[in-house]
Amino acid sequence: YYNTYGLYCHDVFIKISTWLTTMVALVRYIVTCYPIRARVWSGLQPIRCVIVFSYVAWIILCLPLLWSYKIDKYHLSNSTDTLYLIDLGYFSTQYNFKTAMTYIYFVIGYLIPVTILAFCNVCLISSLRKSQKTRERIGNMSSSASTVSYRKTNYLTLTLISLILMFIILVSPSEVVYFFSQVAPSQVYRLQIVILITNVLQAVNFAFHFVLYSAINTSFRQTLLQVLSTCFGLR
């Protein structure tokens, strides 16, 4: 069952994660570069809508992957045992349909998000440098409260910049190799080791999110401590 339906679950969560990261970067870009217009995005309601839309959209778009494989059941003669074999499903045998969906998944699920992320990253880095230069010119004229707020904002922006760079460096190889393996299935056997390596890089990317949040974001550490204290009755 895992081999039959695992591809669907894997792709759905990868695409959802990619688009949520993209939406966070886009909103952060708007808040940083266009703070007045960003008031439209203020509040939790738009964020909830984006999360729900991302889940629903990719759950529906990836539905054809459920028919990538099928399970054939055979009753063995002169025996009460049953043999289960995994065979290619309808989606895998329809070459034109599968190729078209592969291109759609690649463009919507990777190419557009990575383009948005790269653009937002350049703008955020530029904004962060301008902010630091402005801060240096102001010097000690600002209050301590303003300084704390400024540092928190910079830490948040720096965290997002790091996440975007990690995504581009660690996730991009896996997406590109997977796309190539789908459009040129005859070459898959030559890419087995490359696929394994890029999958490891992709896993490292998501695993290091927690490490990055913990290392850079003070608010994340405090919130995590509060959650653990509540769960385990600590004070």
Side-chain angles (χ1 to χ4, degrees), residues 28 127-136 142-157:
R28 188 63 193 168
S127 175
L128 192 62
R129 293 181 63 183
K130 290 179 181 178
S131 176
Q132 289 175 344
K133 290 180 179 179
T134 303
R135 196 73 182 179
E136 290 173 359
S142 58
S143 63
S144 58
S146 176
T147 302
V148 172
S149 177
Y150 168 80
R151 288 178 178 176
K152 286 184 177 180
T153 302
N154 275 6
Y155 283 148
L156 184 59
T157 304

Side-chain angles (χ1 to χ4, degrees), residues 4-5 7-9 11-12 55-69 90-91 97 101 105:
T4 305
Y5 304 113
L7 177 63
Y8 170 77
C9 297
D11 275 33
V12 165
Y55 271 86
V56 173
W58 282 111
I59 286 173
I60 294 174
L61 279 174
C62 291
L63 279 177
L65 296 176
L66 287 174
W67 289 273
S68 296
Y69 302 98
Y90 176 81
F91 181 67
F97 178 56
M101 292 304 298
Y105 293 149

Side-chain angles (χ1 to χ4, degrees), residues 5-34:
Y5 304 113
L7 177 63
Y8 170 77
C9 297
H10 173 270
D11 275 33
V12 165
F13 287 115
I14 287 292
K15 298 297 188 283
I16 290 173
S17 176
T18 299
W19 266 101
L20 289 181
T21 303
T22 304
M23 290 298 103
V24 170
L26 191 58
V27 171
R28 188 63 193 168
Y29 159 73
I30 296 173
V31 169
T32 303
C33 300
Y34 304 98

Side-chain angles (χ1 to χ4, degrees), residues 11 30 42 67 73 106 123 132 185 209 214:
D11 275 33
I30 296 173
S42 61
W67 289 273
K73 183 170 63 173
F106 182 74
C123 293
Q132 289 175 344
H209 280 194
S214 301

Side-chain angles (χ1 to χ4, degrees), residues 95-191:
Y95 178 77
N96 293 333
F97 178 56
K98 180 181 179 181
T99 302
M101 292 304 298
T102 300
Y103 276 94
I104 291 174
Y105 293 149
F106 182 74
V107 172
I108 301 178
Y110 169 72
L111 198 57
I112 293 177
V114 80
T115 303
I116 296 174
L117 287 173
F119 170 77
C120 291
N121 210 37
V122 172
C123 293
L124 288 173
I125 292 174
S126 176
S127 175
L128 192 62
R129 293 181 63 183
K130 290 179 181 178
S131 176
Q132 289 175 344
K133 290 180 179 179
T134 303
R135 196 73 182 179
E136 290 173 359
R137 285 197 295 266
I138 295 176
N140 297 325
M141 295 174 59
S142 58
S143 63
S144 58
S146 176
T147 302
V148 172
S149 177
Y150 168 80
R151 288 178 178 176
K152 286 184 177 180
T153 302
N154 275 6
Y155 283 148
L156 184 59
T157 304
L158 183 60
T159 302
L160 186 56
I161 290 173
S162 302
L163 289 176
I164 295 173
L165 288 175
M166 286 172 57
F167 178 89
I168 294 174
I169 295 173
L170 298 177
V171 176
S172 294
S174 177
E175 293 290 342
V176 173
V177 170
Y178 178 75
F179 171 74
F180 181 75
S181 68
Q182 294 300 306
V183 297
S186 61
Q187 303 297 321
V188 172
Y189 72 96
R190 297 181 178 179
L191 297 173

